[in-house]
Amino acid sequence: MRPSKQIVLPGELKPWNRVSLYAKVKGFIRDVRVDRGSVVRKGQVLAVLDAPEVLSELSQAQAQLQAQEAAINEQMARFRASRLTYNRLVQTSKVEGAVSLHELDQAQARMQADSATVAVATGNIQASRSNYQTKKELRQYLTIVAPFDGVITERNVSAGALVGAGDSNAKPLFVLEDSRTLRLTVGFRKRLRTSFRRKVRFRSP
């Protein structure tokens, strides 16, 4: 018969996934759609924020992008016209005395200037698009969603509360836990008095 010895070790069961949810942008809570104990699915809306500054900046970025798009269309039309004029003058200049050299040089200079203007406008529109995309992403942060399936274990906000970045002591809006898979953490000591923690994972029925 094998000798056996029972060892009692302190342990703790923790959810495999646990996250504290904060607001990335500053705003007022407009709507809270879950409460403590609510079972939520990944992507489900938990709360919606109001941030007039974010929406205003998005509108300005959109207007700027539209203005840049209109400008580059106009400048492209000018460039095409000046290029066509220059090419026609080149063809006409093959007939001796039909076009003066000065007139041809002016047409070429105008075409090159229009080409440079188009290049500058292209850079401006790329910057405007990047700015618009950044503002658009900030608007998405006004909607707080669940990153995974789980249960809301803490709710620290109500409608009308001011939340957002900048407050290092702020509590999370929600704490979400997924307890379908648990993490068992056991601590024990060896004779050399060195200690470490062992993690065991199992699924709850």
Side-chain angles (χ1 to χ4, degrees), residues 54-84:
V54 172
L55 299 179
S56 176
E57 290 176 359
L58 176 62
S59 297
Q60 291 177 1
Q62 185 176 15
Q64 184 179 15
L65 176 59
Q66 291 173 346
Q68 293 290 349
E69 289 174 343
I72 196 172
N73 288 335
E74 181 181 354
Q75 289 157 1
M76 282 293 296
R78 290 180 179 177
F79 171 64
R80 285 192 293 265
S82 61
R83 182 177 58 183
L84 181 60

Side-chain angles (χ1 to χ4, degrees), residues 28-32 155-163:
F28 293 92
I29 298 291
R30 184 177 70 191
D31 186 20
V32 180
R155 169 191 162 181
N156 299 311
V157 291
S158 298
L162 177 63
V163 297

Side-chain angles (χ1 to χ4, degrees), residues 154-201:
E154 287 186 30
R155 169 191 162 181
N156 299 311
V157 291
S158 298
L162 177 63
V163 297
D167 187 356
S168 58
N169 298 320
K171 291 184 178 180
L173 276 62
F174 305 98
V175 175
L176 176 63
E177 295 182 358
D178 179 8
S179 299
R180 293 175 300 176
T181 300
L182 300 177
R183 188 196 312 267
L184 174 61
T185 305
V186 179
F188 63 94
R189 290 180 177 273
K190 287 187 175 182
R191 291 182 179 180
L192 296 178
R193 294 185 179 181
T194 59
S195 63
F196 59 92
R197 301 171 74 86
R198 177 175 297 173
K199 295 179 181 178
V200 180
R201 186 177 66 170

Side-chain angles (χ1 to χ4, degrees), residues 17-38:
N17 289 320
R18 184 180 188 276
V19 66
S20 299
L21 300 175
Y22 294 85
K24 186 176 179 65
V25 297
K26 199 163 188 177
F28 293 92
I29 298 291
R30 184 177 70 191
D31 186 20
V32 180
R33 301 185 181 180
V34 294
D35 203 347
R36 184 174 182 179
S38 297

